[in-house]
Amino acid sequence: MIRKTQAESIAPYLRDASNFSGGNAEEVVIPETSDELANFLKNETRPVTVAGAGTGLTASRIPAGGVIVSLERFNRIIEEAEGRVRVGPAVTVKELQGFLPGWLYPPNPTETLASLGGTLATNASGSRSYKYGVTRDYVEEVELLLVDGRKTLLKRGLKITEPLTFEDGSKIIFPDIAYQSPECKNAAGYFVHPGMDWLDLFIGSDGTLGIFTDIALRLIPRPHDFVSGILFFEEEDSCWELIPQIKSADRKRIDPCSLEYFDHNALKRLKSKHKNIPNRSRAALFFEQAVPEMKDYDLILEDWYEFLSAENITLDDSWFAQGPKDVQMFHDFRHDVPVIINEENSRAGRVKLGTDMAVPDKYFMAMMQFYRETLVASNLDYVMFGHLGDNHLHINLLAEDRDRAQKVYDQMVEQVLEWGGTVSAEHGIGKLKKKYFAKMVGSSGLKDLNKIKYCFDPENRLGTGNLL
Ligand SMILES: Cc1cc2nc3c(=O)[nH]c(=O)nc-3n(C[C@H](O)[C@H](O)[C@H](O)COP(=O)(O)OP(=O)(O)OC[C@H]3O[C@@H](n4cnc5c(N)ncnc54)[C@H](O)[C@@H]3O)c2cc1C
């Protein structure tokens, strides 16, 4: 096992994509095998933080003292069976996507340099989650270590109604609690649903319950292609009103996997790279639909033309992919938004507060109108983009004055929680959103979640400072 104690060797592990500073650690350990890590943990008493690829946006991998465990040597990837791969947690989403040409791993976080261990810890999702769901839906089995070094194999189907047994014969029973996760897309706090699998609890636990050292994932046959397009709208409302129409359309014909939104401020920024964005556009919608076989391509495209014409959407200004190059360009279009904002903000030395909230379906329109009114009234610079199909938007509040941005954020949290929504639908809580999470679950919810944490880590040493 490699152990690094020099400040300059530790420094790269004290960062992630959140720009949070102030982390510290005494050393970084880099084990070769899970047994080596287990033995190390059995003799350790300091706090332990697991480092993934550092693309997280909530400072959850940034340690508050103690030891950093980096699983960077766990980068093996093998095809285990048809449609099933076994990966080390350090394998990136990009490496997995390129590994088996005939298969697709549907969770599609925009940042493909994320490690699969990190995506399990945050239950990552992405532009295709509207149809395909989230990371949790594709995990079949993991090898898991507790912070005290105990090891277990978590298989799909092992229910929380049965005790969880470890290799040394010890057992943990799921605590008797009332808390349940909200009914919308959600990545905030532990996943709790009656009769769920143990696996589901650990996925999305923000690096605080266990360490994934080996992962088996389910893949789906790669569609022949995707029909995709970017629709531009002169009025925001026309774009928003199309969403319920798409959702209620005949699924045999109109069945998108992605419905991604760009507001006028996002388009303004994107114009620096994509010059042909129509000048009068106030909003845009990127959609994609999987095409199972080549023969289906033209039919699906035709269905979309017909559907959009019936909805009075002008197609003149819209873009439809003509081949793999365009599909890649549309994905870049989506990926470019946070990248451009981050570059711009660093240059300008401004604060960026990014929301990650979602609400139940029935509040979609109310949510869009509320965001618009609140943001216009705030007089702040902002960019709004993200997953319209899941009622899940990222609003980046850009300001010189943090307090002003914070006030607007607080106002939005109040309303989203009133609608039964979540303060994080995909990035997790980490160290940056704990205040909002506490508000979301209330004191009895926090007590219940602490009971879960206590079962696995009574001294609160794993991922200290995250979530709770
Ligand atoms: C430009 C950009 C776009 C993004 N787009 C998306 C998106 O579309 N969807 C999305 O969901 N996220 C997105 N993210 C956020 C980020 O990519 C995800 O949160 C990702 O899952 C983090 O993975 P990581 O390997 O970088 O983890 P890290 O940031 O290193 O760590 C994240 C958490 O995982 C824990 N962890 C890491 N490995 C393990 C392990 N083996 N066992 C237990 N815990 C572990 C860490 O302790 C920490 O708590 C985006 C980020 C950026 C910068």
Side-chain angles (χ1 to χ4, degrees):
M1 183 159 70
I2 298 168
R3 299 179 78 145
K4 298 180 178 177
T5 50
Q6 300 288 326
E8 63 272 22
S9 312
I10 298 174
Y13 298 89
L14 302 179
R15 293 195 288 267
D16 71 359
S18 69
N19 290 329
F20 179 81
S21 56
N24 68 91
E26 291 165 29
E27 69 171 324
V28 179
V29 301
I30 306 176
E32 301 280 343
T33 65
S34 63
D35 284 340
E36 191 177 42
L37 176 59
N39 288 334
F40 168 77
L41 292 172
K42 277 176 191 158
N43 297 307
E44 191 48 64
T45 53
R46 292 172 291 177
V48 173
T49 303
V50 186
T55 70
L57 293 163
T58 64
S60 58
R61 81 151 198 172
I62 298 181
V67 193
I68 295 167
V69 169
S70 169
L71 300 172
E72 58 204 71
R73 293 293 173 102
F74 292 55
N75 53 8
R76 178 189 69 139
I77 171 165
I78 53 167
E79 184 179 10
E80 197 171 54
E82 176 135 308
R84 182 173 157 128
V85 286
R86 188 163 282 278
V87 296
V91 172
T92 64
V93 173
K94 192 173 182 177
E95 285 161 348
L96 174 59
Q97 296 292 24
F99 178 63
L100 285 178
W103 296 88
L104 178 74
Y105 179 59
N108 187 33
T110 319
E111 181 48 86
T112 56
L113 296 178
S115 73
L116 287 160
T119 63
L120 259 70
T122 56
N123 189 30
S125 54
S127 63
R128 291 182 179 147
S129 63
Y130 170 61
K131 178 176 169 68
Y132 292 122
V134 296
T135 296
R136 183 175 288 115
D137 301 319
Y138 296 89
V139 182
E140 292 286 295
E141 188 178 291
V142 300
E143 182 187 72
L144 182 97
L145 295 188
L146 296 190
V147 71
D148 61 14
R150 278 183 289 167
K151 190 191 277 191
T152 187
L153 192 64
L154 287 174
K155 284 177 187 283
R156 224 348 104 232
L158 267 178
K159 300 282 173 204
I160 54 160
T161 43
E162 298 296 321
L164 180 60
T165 309
F166 293 84
E167 271 185 5
D168 65 358
S170 63
K171 291 181 192 301
I172 288 179
I173 294 170
F174 192 78
D176 187 15
I177 55 170
Y179 175 82
Q180 282 195 26
S181 300
E183 290 300 331
C184 57
K185 182 179 177 187
N186 179 44
Y190 303 144
F191 181 79
V192 182
H193 265 269
M196 68 181 187
D197 293 352
W198 279 108
L199 200 46
D200 295 328
L201 172 68
F202 289 93
I203 297 166
S205 61
D206 239 352
T208 65
L209 292 184
I211 304 174
F212 306 114
T213 49
D214 195 40
I215 303 164
L217 297 169
R218 176 173 72 85
L219 310 177
I220 62 169
R222 183 175 286 277
H224 161 72
D225 205 342
F226 288 89
V227 161
S228 59
I230 300 183
L231 311 171
F232 292 96
F233 301 82
E234 287 178 37
E235 303 288 338
E236 289 167 336
D237 295 66
S238 319
C239 177
W240 306 348
E241 282 157 13
L242 187 63
I243 298 300
Q245 297 304 109
I246 292 176
K247 286 184 170 179
S248 59
D250 174 5
R251 273 287 160 102
K252 282 199 195 99
R253 299 173 60 215
I254 301 298
D255 187 20
C257 52
S258 309
L259 289 171
E260 295 288 302
Y261 182 63
F262 307 85
D263 79 342
H264 61 282
N265 286 327
L267 294 179
K268 204 164 71 188
R269 265 109 183 157
L270 282 165
K271 236 176 177 307
S272 61
K273 274 194 165 172
H274 304 270
K275 307 263 183 252
N276 48 347
I277 292 173
N279 283 330
R280 46 185 192 274
S281 309
R282 296 280 300 165
L285 181 71
F286 163 57
F287 72 88
E288 271 189 311
Q289 177 165 333
V291 178
E293 291 179 47
M294 191 166 31
K295 66 175 175 44
D296 306 318
Y297 192 96
D298 287 344
L299 281 175
I300 293 176
L301 191 59
E302 200 56 40
D303 283 342
W304 272 95
Y305 283 146
E306 261 177 40
F307 169 77
L308 293 170
S309 304
E311 294 298 328
N312 294 320
I313 307 297
T314 327
L315 300 179
D316 300 354
D317 278 343
S318 295
W319 304 344
F320 290 88
Q322 305 291 333
K325 245 177 137 180
D326 289 344
V327 172
Q328 187 54 49
M329 190 271 276
F330 291 178
H331 277 264
D332 291 347
F333 192 89
R334 168 68 180 83
H335 184 259
D336 286 343
V337 180
V339 175
I340 294 173
I341 297 168
N342 288 345
E343 283 167 7
E344 174 190 309
N345 235 40
S346 307
R347 264 199 319 274
R350 289 193 302 190
V351 174
K352 181 190 94 175
L353 296 186
T355 75
D356 176 33
M357 301 190 277
V359 301
D361 260 356
K362 62 180 170 183
Y363 297 112
F364 169 69
M365 264 308 187
M367 173 189 81
M368 297 307 289
Q369 276 149 6
F370 165 76
Y371 282 157
R372 177 165 59 196
E373 279 161 25
T374 310
L375 290 165
V376 169
S378 76
N379 248 332
L380 287 178
D381 193 5
Y382 68 91
V383 177
M384 182 153 62
F385 60 98
H387 322 290
L388 268 203
D390 294 317
N391 320 312
H392 170 206
L393 285 174
H394 300 296
I395 299 171
N396 285 183
L397 300 165
L398 309 165
E400 266 85 40
D401 175 358
R402 172 176 281 275
D403 290 349
R404 269 186 64 209
Q406 195 70 59
K407 234 168 123 184
V408 178
Y409 199 151
D410 290 356
Q411 212 181 328
M412 294 195 288
V413 168
E414 286 286 337
Q415 182 57 68
V416 163
L417 294 185
E418 216 164 278
W419 285 327
T422 175
V423 295
S424 173
E426 73 179 1
H427 298 152
I429 297 300
K431 297 184 178 65
L432 301 187
K433 296 192 174 165
K434 289 200 289 187
K435 176 179 102 176
Y436 296 133
F437 180 61
K439 201 164 196 167
M440 174 179 159
V441 298
S443 59
S444 64
L446 272 186
K447 232 186 231 164
D448 280 353
L449 295 170
N450 270 304
K451 277 189 197 168
I452 297 177
K453 170 76 170 166
Y454 188 82
C455 293
F456 300 97
D457 178 16
E459 290 164 351
N460 189 18
R461 288 198 296 117
L462 185 62
T464 310
N466 288 350
L467 188 65
L468 297 169

mmCIF file of all heavy atoms in Angstrom, residues 186-217:
data_model
loop_
_atom_site.group_PDB
_atom_site.id
_atom_site.type_symbol
_atom_site.label_atom_id
_atom_site.label_comp_id
_atom_site.label_asym_id
_atom_site.label_seq_id
_atom_site.Cartn_x
_atom_site.Cartn_y
_atom_site.Cartn_z
ATOM 1 N N ASN A 186 -34.387 12.079 -6.528
ATOM 2 C CA ASN A 186 -33.796 12.563 -5.280
ATOM 3 C C ASN A 186 -32.412 11.962 -5.036
ATOM 4 O O ASN A 186 -32.214 10.770 -5.231
ATOM 5 C CB ASN A 186 -34.719 12.159 -4.112
ATOM 6 C CG ASN A 186 -34.163 12.595 -2.778
ATOM 7 O OD1 ASN A 186 -33.675 13.721 -2.639
ATOM 8 N ND2 ASN A 186 -34.201 11.718 -1.801
ATOM 9 N N ALA A 187 -31.474 12.809 -4.628
ATOM 10 C CA ALA A 187 -30.144 12.289 -4.249
ATOM 11 C C ALA A 187 -29.749 12.851 -2.891
ATOM 12 O O ALA A 187 -28.577 12.875 -2.546
ATOM 13 C CB ALA A 187 -29.121 12.669 -5.306
ATOM 14 N N ALA A 188 -30.735 13.308 -2.139
ATOM 15 C CA ALA A 188 -30.446 13.924 -0.840
ATOM 16 C C ALA A 188 -30.686 12.923 0.274
ATOM 17 O O ALA A 188 -31.803 12.443 0.460
ATOM 18 C CB ALA A 188 -31.343 15.145 -0.628
ATOM 19 N N GLY A 189 -29.642 12.592 1.005
ATOM 20 C CA GLY A 189 -29.805 11.719 2.168
ATOM 21 C C GLY A 189 -29.901 10.264 1.784
ATOM 22 O O GLY A 189 -29.882 9.899 0.604
ATOM 23 N N TYR A 190 -29.970 9.409 2.812
ATOM 24 C CA TYR A 190 -30.022 7.970 2.555
ATOM 25 C C TYR A 190 -31.348 7.609 1.896
ATOM 26 O O TYR A 190 -32.394 8.164 2.218
ATOM 27 C CB TYR A 190 -29.867 7.182 3.863
ATOM 28 C CG TYR A 190 -28.599 7.515 4.613
ATOM 29 C CD1 TYR A 190 -28.573 7.556 6.002
ATOM 30 C CD2 TYR A 190 -27.422 7.793 3.926
ATOM 31 C CE1 TYR A 190 -27.413 7.866 6.700
ATOM 32 C CE2 TYR A 190 -26.257 8.106 4.606
ATOM 33 C CZ TYR A 190 -26.257 8.151 5.980
ATOM 34 O OH TYR A 190 -25.113 8.476 6.657
ATOM 35 N N PHE A 191 -31.264 6.640 0.983
ATOM 36 C CA PHE A 191 -32.473 6.151 0.318
ATOM 37 C C PHE A 191 -33.173 5.192 1.280
ATOM 38 O O PHE A 191 -32.576 4.222 1.740
ATOM 39 C CB PHE A 191 -32.068 5.426 -0.967
ATOM 40 C CG PHE A 191 -33.222 4.889 -1.755
ATOM 41 C CD1 PHE A 191 -33.979 5.735 -2.555
ATOM 42 C CD2 PHE A 191 -33.547 3.542 -1.714
ATOM 43 C CE1 PHE A 191 -35.043 5.247 -3.294
ATOM 44 C CE2 PHE A 191 -34.608 3.041 -2.456
ATOM 45 C CZ PHE A 191 -35.352 3.896 -3.244
ATOM 46 N N VAL A 192 -34.416 5.499 1.596
ATOM 47 C CA VAL A 192 -35.164 4.627 2.514
ATOM 48 C C VAL A 192 -36.560 4.371 1.950
ATOM 49 O O VAL A 192 -37.350 5.313 1.791
ATOM 50 C CB VAL A 192 -35.277 5.251 3.926
ATOM 51 C CG1 VAL A 192 -36.021 4.292 4.865
ATOM 52 C CG2 VAL A 192 -33.910 5.587 4.499
ATOM 53 N N HIS A 193 -36.818 3.126 1.620
ATOM 54 C CA HIS A 193 -38.139 2.714 1.154
ATOM 55 C C HIS A 193 -38.446 1.363 1.771
ATOM 56 O O HIS A 193 -37.555 0.517 1.881
ATOM 57 C CB HIS A 193 -38.171 2.586 -0.376
ATOM 58 C CG HIS A 193 -38.661 3.818 -1.050
ATOM 59 N ND1 HIS A 193 -39.972 4.035 -1.343
ATOM 60 C CD2 HIS A 193 -37.994 4.921 -1.450
ATOM 61 C CE1 HIS A 193 -40.108 5.227 -1.917
ATOM 62 N NE2 HIS A 193 -38.913 5.789 -1.983
ATOM 63 N N PRO A 194 -39.705 1.127 2.159
ATOM 64 C CA PRO A 194 -40.015 -0.160 2.777
ATOM 65 C C PRO A 194 -39.642 -1.315 1.847
ATOM 66 O O PRO A 194 -39.874 -1.232 0.640
ATOM 67 C CB PRO A 194 -41.543 -0.107 2.968
ATOM 68 C CG PRO A 194 -41.925 1.320 2.809
ATOM 69 C CD PRO A 194 -40.870 1.987 1.999
ATOM 70 N N GLY A 195 -39.039 -2.347 2.408
ATOM 71 C CA GLY A 195 -38.752 -3.564 1.631
ATOM 72 C C GLY A 195 -37.634 -3.422 0.618
ATOM 73 O O GLY A 195 -37.465 -4.265 -0.251
ATOM 74 N N MET A 196 -36.841 -2.346 0.731
ATOM 75 C CA MET A 196 -35.773 -2.159 -0.271
ATOM 76 C C MET A 196 -34.603 -3.119 -0.008
ATOM 77 O O MET A 196 -34.539 -3.786 1.033
ATOM 78 C CB MET A 196 -35.261 -0.720 -0.219
ATOM 79 C CG MET A 196 -34.517 -0.414 1.052
ATOM 80 S SD MET A 196 -33.966 1.283 1.048
ATOM 81 C CE MET A 196 -32.971 1.310 2.536
ATOM 82 N N ASP A 197 -33.673 -3.143 -0.962
ATOM 83 C CA ASP A 197 -32.460 -3.949 -0.801
ATOM 84 C C ASP A 197 -31.427 -3.162 0.006
ATOM 85 O O ASP A 197 -31.380 -1.929 -0.066
ATOM 86 C CB ASP A 197 -31.841 -4.264 -2.172
ATOM 87 C CG ASP A 197 -32.730 -5.189 -3.002
ATOM 88 O OD1 ASP A 197 -33.736 -5.697 -2.455
ATOM 89 O OD2 ASP A 197 -32.415 -5.396 -4.181
ATOM 90 N N TRP A 198 -30.552 -3.899 0.698
ATOM 91 C CA TRP A 198 -29.443 -3.249 1.412
ATOM 92 C C TRP A 198 -28.606 -2.408 0.454
ATOM 93 O O TRP A 198 -28.149 -1.313 0.771
ATOM 94 C CB TRP A 198 -28.551 -4.302 2.068
ATOM 95 C CG TRP A 198 -29.075 -4.807 3.376
ATOM 96 C CD1 TRP A 198 -29.606 -6.036 3.608
ATOM 97 C CD2 TRP A 198 -29.099 -4.113 4.638
ATOM 98 N NE1 TRP A 198 -29.970 -6.153 4.933
ATOM 99 C CE2 TRP A 198 -29.666 -4.984 5.577
ATOM 100 C CE3 TRP A 198 -28.717 -2.843 5.048
ATOM 101 C CZ2 TRP A 198 -29.842 -4.634 6.917
ATOM 102 C CZ3 TRP A 198 -28.892 -2.480 6.375
ATOM 103 C CH2 TRP A 198 -29.455 -3.370 7.291
ATOM 104 N N LEU A 199 -28.420 -2.951 -0.755
ATOM 105 C CA LEU A 199 -27.643 -2.268 -1.778
ATOM 106 C C LEU A 199 -28.147 -0.833 -1.990
ATOM 107 O O LEU A 199 -27.370 0.116 -2.139
ATOM 108 C CB LEU A 199 -27.811 -3.083 -3.073
ATOM 109 C CG LEU A 199 -26.837 -2.960 -4.224
ATOM 110 C CD1 LEU A 199 -25.402 -3.001 -3.751
ATOM 111 C CD2 LEU A 199 -27.115 -4.096 -5.211
ATOM 112 N N ASP A 200 -29.454 -0.682 -1.988
ATOM 113 C CA ASP A 200 -30.051 0.630 -2.276
ATOM 114 C C ASP A 200 -29.745 1.662 -1.199
ATOM 115 O O ASP A 200 -29.722 2.860 -1.472
ATOM 116 C CB ASP A 200 -31.572 0.482 -2.441
ATOM 117 C CG ASP A 200 -31.902 -0.371 -3.654
ATOM 118 O OD1 ASP A 200 -31.132 -0.320 -4.628
ATOM 119 O OD2 ASP A 200 -32.912 -1.093 -3.613
ATOM 120 N N LEU A 201 -29.548 1.187 0.016
ATOM 121 C CA LEU A 201 -29.217 2.113 1.106
ATOM 122 C C LEU A 201 -27.827 2.717 0.899
ATOM 123 O O LEU A 201 -27.606 3.906 1.078
ATOM 124 C CB LEU A 201 -29.262 1.366 2.441
ATOM 125 C CG LEU A 201 -28.753 2.156 3.646
ATOM 126 C CD1 LEU A 201 -29.701 3.317 3.957
ATOM 127 C CD2 LEU A 201 -28.599 1.258 4.867
ATOM 128 N N PHE A 202 -26.870 1.868 0.499
ATOM 129 C CA PHE A 202 -25.476 2.326 0.382
ATOM 130 C C PHE A 202 -25.266 3.201 -0.851
ATOM 131 O O PHE A 202 -24.446 4.114 -0.829
ATOM 132 C CB PHE A 202 -24.528 1.120 0.376
ATOM 133 C CG PHE A 202 -24.458 0.464 1.722
ATOM 134 C CD1 PHE A 202 -25.284 -0.596 2.052
ATOM 135 C CD2 PHE A 202 -23.585 0.948 2.685
ATOM 136 C CE1 PHE A 202 -25.240 -1.181 3.306
ATOM 137 C CE2 PHE A 202 -23.536 0.372 3.950
ATOM 138 C CZ PHE A 202 -24.366 -0.697 4.260
ATOM 139 N N ILE A 203 -26.036 2.907 -1.921
ATOM 140 C CA ILE A 203 -25.909 3.739 -3.127
ATOM 141 C C ILE A 203 -26.538 5.104 -2.810
ATOM 142 O O ILE A 203 -27.674 5.174 -2.354
ATOM 143 C CB ILE A 203 -26.618 3.074 -4.327
ATOM 144 C CG1 ILE A 203 -25.939 1.744 -4.635
ATOM 145 C CG2 ILE A 203 -26.597 3.992 -5.550
ATOM 146 C CD1 ILE A 203 -26.732 0.849 -5.546
ATOM 147 N N GLY A 204 -25.770 6.150 -3.021
ATOM 148 C CA GLY A 204 -26.280 7.499 -2.716
ATOM 149 C C GLY A 204 -26.051 7.910 -1.275
ATOM 150 O O GLY A 204 -26.671 8.854 -0.799
ATOM 151 N N SER A 205 -25.154 7.202 -0.553
ATOM 152 C CA SER A 205 -24.981 7.546 0.865
ATOM 153 C C SER A 205 -23.846 8.561 1.082
ATOM 154 O O SER A 205 -23.377 8.730 2.194
ATOM 155 C CB SER A 205 -24.785 6.282 1.709
ATOM 156 O OG SER A 205 -23.632 5.586 1.298
ATOM 157 N N ASP A 206 -23.423 9.225 -0.001
ATOM 158 C CA ASP A 206 -22.524 10.387 0.096
ATOM 159 C C ASP A 206 -21.188 10.045 0.777
ATOM 160 O O ASP A 206 -20.620 10.874 1.495
ATOM 161 C CB ASP A 206 -23.228 11.501 0.899
ATOM 162 C CG ASP A 206 -23.373 12.785 0.090
ATOM 163 O OD1 ASP A 206 -22.809 12.873 -1.003
ATOM 164 O OD2 ASP A 206 -24.047 13.717 0.580
ATOM 165 N N GLY A 207 -20.712 8.818 0.581
ATOM 166 C CA GLY A 207 -19.414 8.429 1.145
ATOM 167 C C GLY A 207 -19.419 8.303 2.653
ATOM 168 O O GLY A 207 -18.365 8.379 3.280
ATOM 169 N N THR A 208 -20.588 8.053 3.271
ATOM 170 C CA THR A 208 -20.660 8.065 4.734
ATOM 171 C C THR A 208 -21.003 6.714 5.379
ATOM 172 O O THR A 208 -20.917 6.590 6.595
ATOM 173 C CB THR A 208 -21.716 9.071 5.246
ATOM 174 O OG1 THR A 208 -22.994 8.617 4.804
ATOM 175 C CG2 THR A 208 -21.459 10.477 4.745
ATOM 176 N N LEU A 209 -21.426 5.713 4.588
ATOM 177 C CA LEU A 209 -21.829 4.446 5.228
ATOM 178 C C LEU A 209 -20.863 3.304 4.946
ATOM 179 O O LEU A 209 -20.668 2.434 5.793
ATOM 180 C CB LEU A 209 -23.241 4.026 4.753
ATOM 181 C CG LEU A 209 -24.409 4.894 5.201
ATOM 182 C CD1 LEU A 209 -25.730 4.295 4.727
ATOM 183 C CD2 LEU A 209 -24.434 5.069 6.716
ATOM 184 N N GLY A 210 -20.289 3.271 3.748
ATOM 185 C CA GLY A 210 -19.397 2.167 3.403
ATOM 186 C C GLY A 210 -18.544 2.524 2.206
ATOM 187 O O GLY A 210 -18.772 3.545 1.540
ATOM 188 N N ILE A 211 -17.549 1.665 1.942
ATOM 189 C CA ILE A 211 -16.602 1.904 0.841
ATOM 190 C C ILE A 211 -16.817 0.826 -0.216
ATOM 191 O O ILE A 211 -16.726 -0.376 0.085
ATOM 192 C CB ILE A 211 -15.151 1.860 1.367
ATOM 193 C CG1 ILE A 211 -14.970 2.859 2.512
ATOM 194 C CG2 ILE A 211 -14.158 2.115 0.233
ATOM 195 C CD1 ILE A 211 -13.605 2.780 3.199
ATOM 196 N N PHE A 212 -17.112 1.238 -1.441
ATOM 197 C CA PHE A 212 -17.296 0.271 -2.534
ATOM 198 C C PHE A 212 -15.921 -0.108 -3.079
ATOM 199 O O PHE A 212 -15.182 0.762 -3.553
ATOM 200 C CB PHE A 212 -18.106 0.896 -3.677
ATOM 201 C CG PHE A 212 -19.418 1.478 -3.236
ATOM 202 C CD1 PHE A 212 -19.644 2.849 -3.300
ATOM 203 C CD2 PHE A 212 -20.431 0.674 -2.757
ATOM 204 C CE1 PHE A 212 -20.857 3.399 -2.897
ATOM 205 C CE2 PHE A 212 -21.655 1.206 -2.353
ATOM 206 C CZ PHE A 212 -21.863 2.577 -2.425
ATOM 207 N N THR A 213 -15.594 -1.402 -3.039
ATOM 208 C CA THR A 213 -14.278 -1.819 -3.536
ATOM 209 C C THR A 213 -14.390 -2.664 -4.806
ATOM 210 O O THR A 213 -13.383 -2.932 -5.454
ATOM 211 C CB THR A 213 -13.516 -2.611 -2.451
ATOM 212 O OG1 THR A 213 -14.397 -3.605 -1.927
ATOM 213 C CG2 THR A 213 -13.054 -1.696 -1.340
ATOM 214 N N ASP A 214 -15.595 -3.082 -5.149
ATOM 215 C CA ASP A 214 -15.799 -3.865 -6.370
ATOM 216 C C ASP A 214 -17.274 -3.729 -6.738
ATOM 217 O O ASP A 214 -18.136 -3.760 -5.848
ATOM 218 C CB ASP A 214 -15.432 -5.332 -6.097
ATOM 219 C CG ASP A 214 -15.254 -6.123 -7.373
ATOM 220 O OD1 ASP A 214 -14.686 -5.571 -8.332
ATOM 221 O OD2 ASP A 214 -15.682 -7.290 -7.412
ATOM 222 N N ILE A 215 -17.563 -3.605 -8.030
ATOM 223 C CA ILE A 215 -18.940 -3.264 -8.423
ATOM 224 C C ILE A 215 -19.349 -4.085 -9.646
ATOM 225 O O ILE A 215 -18.606 -4.143 -10.632
ATOM 226 C CB ILE A 215 -19.004 -1.748 -8.807
ATOM 227 C CG1 ILE A 215 -18.517 -0.862 -7.648
ATOM 228 C CG2 ILE A 215 -20.405 -1.352 -9.241
ATOM 229 C CD1 ILE A 215 -18.174 0.572 -8.061
ATOM 230 N N ALA A 216 -20.527 -4.709 -9.601
ATOM 231 C CA ALA A 216 -21.063 -5.382 -10.798
ATOM 232 C C ALA A 216 -22.244 -4.561 -11.316
ATOM 233 O O ALA A 216 -23.163 -4.227 -10.557
ATOM 234 C CB ALA A 216 -21.508 -6.802 -10.463
ATOM 235 N N LEU A 217 -22.201 -4.241 -12.607
ATOM 236 C CA LEU A 217 -23.212 -3.356 -13.198
ATOM 237 C C LEU A 217 -23.960 -4.051 -14.330
ATOM 238 O O LEU A 217 -23.377 -4.829 -15.090
ATOM 239 C CB LEU A 217 -22.544 -2.103 -13.766
ATOM 240 C CG LEU A 217 -21.840 -1.195 -12.765
ATOM 241 C CD1 LEU A 217 -21.002 -0.161 -13.494
ATOM 242 C CD2 LEU A 217 -22.855 -0.510 -11.849
#
